[in-house]
Amino acid sequence: MNLKSELLSNVLKILLWVLLSLSAMDLVGTLIYSTNIDFYLEYVYSINNFLLLLSIVLYLVIIVVYLIWIYRVHMDLNNLFVNYPRSPGMSLVCMMVPFYNFYGIPSIYMRIGEFYSQYTSGLDKQGRWISRLAVPLMLSLFVLSGLNRTISNADGEPSTGLWFALGVAELITYSIFLIVCFQVSQGLKIMQTKQAASMSNTETSADWDSPVNEAAIPPIL
């Protein structure tokens, strides 16, 4: 059985790496601005604006890819775990419904981590990573949202410290998403491999246990 989320997992990891790199470069630009405004305005300002625009476009693309990815991940989870309690559609509800997603987003990853750790041998590492990052992920989203709101509502030019805090929050948030994506996809691959090996062993055992066609055996003279 092929994983329905495998292709999107690879695409999402690449996009998150690019977004993380752009965020790091933006943070460097903020540091340059705080130390040498003239140099920033002459050499960095136009580049930074282009990177900011690129980051916004990429962020919107990632949101769409991420929602499709989490849907397909839950399709795989329901195929691999017979009693997995959350459907693909419900995973989107957990992600997208305002206020409910305060519970929904961390619960998605805590549940995945729980099933990896408790119900599948060999996935303890992935399960622990995912479970432990579920709450920090939600907290980082809160902080990021709060900083963006503060900057948007600021009277005049926001302080350099505020921009720097936003850059750090973005780096942390994108890093957590990347780690979670990697651990989820790696766990699905391991589970798929185990299931394929189990099915192969079952088929081999069935072949050995099947009755021999006596008509095909030549008589012994």
Side-chain angles (χ1 to χ4, degrees), residues 1 36 66 87 100 104-105 133 148 150 174 196 210:
M1 181 192 73
N36 192 330
Y66 175 79
S87 67
Y100 180 70
I105 293 175
L133 288 175
N148 275 311
T150 301
Y174 302 153
S210 62

Side-chain angles (χ1 to χ4, degrees), residues 76-93:
D76 290 329
L77 289 169
N78 278 268
N79 288 331
L80 294 170
F81 297 100
V82 179
N83 298 320
Y84 196 76
R86 184 162 285 167
S87 67
M90 191 61 192
S91 70
L92 291 183
V93 171

Side-chain angles (χ1 to χ4, degrees), residues 59-208:
Y59 182 79
L60 295 175
V61 171
I62 285 175
I63 289 176
V64 175
V65 173
Y66 175 79
L67 290 175
I68 300 172
W69 173 76
I70 202 68
Y71 183 89
R72 288 182 171 270
V73 162
H74 279 76
M75 292 175 70
D76 290 329
L77 289 169
N78 278 268
N79 288 331
L80 294 170
F81 297 100
V82 179
N83 298 320
Y84 196 76
R86 184 162 285 167
S87 67
M90 191 61 192
S91 70
L92 291 183
V93 171
C94 290
M95 285 286 170
M96 299 175 68
V97 175
F99 301 109
Y100 180 70
N101 58 9
F102 296 160
Y103 158 80
I105 293 175
S107 73
I108 280 178
Y109 294 113
M110 292 183 76
R111 191 156 295 179
I112 293 174
E114 177 188 352
F115 266 74
Y116 278 11
S117 298
Q118 297 183 12
Y119 300 102
T120 309
S121 61
L123 292 182
D124 291 346
K125 176 185 174 184
Q126 288 77 15
R128 286 196 302 270
W129 268 104
I130 296 167
S131 296
R132 290 172 182 173
L133 288 175
V135 174
L137 175 61
M138 196 67 226
L139 291 175
S140 68
L141 288 172
F142 271 126
V143 172
L144 192 58
S145 176
L147 287 171
N148 275 311
R149 195 178 299 112
T150 301
I151 289 175
S152 299
N153 297 332
D155 295 328
E157 180 67 22
S159 67
T160 305
L162 204 54
W163 284 114
F164 182 78
L166 178 64
V168 172
E170 286 177 343
L171 276 177
I172 293 172
T173 304
Y174 302 153
S175 296
I176 294 175
F177 267 112
L178 181 60
I179 294 170
V180 167
C181 176
F182 178 79
Q183 297 297 339
V184 169
S185 62
Q186 188 180 45
L188 288 174
K189 286 180 181 178
I190 294 172
M191 186 61 190
Q192 180 201 28
T193 302
K194 285 177 174 291
Q195 191 178 82
S198 177
M199 291 176 63
S200 176
N201 291 336
T202 302
E203 290 173 359
T204 302
S205 177
D207 289 341
W208 278 103

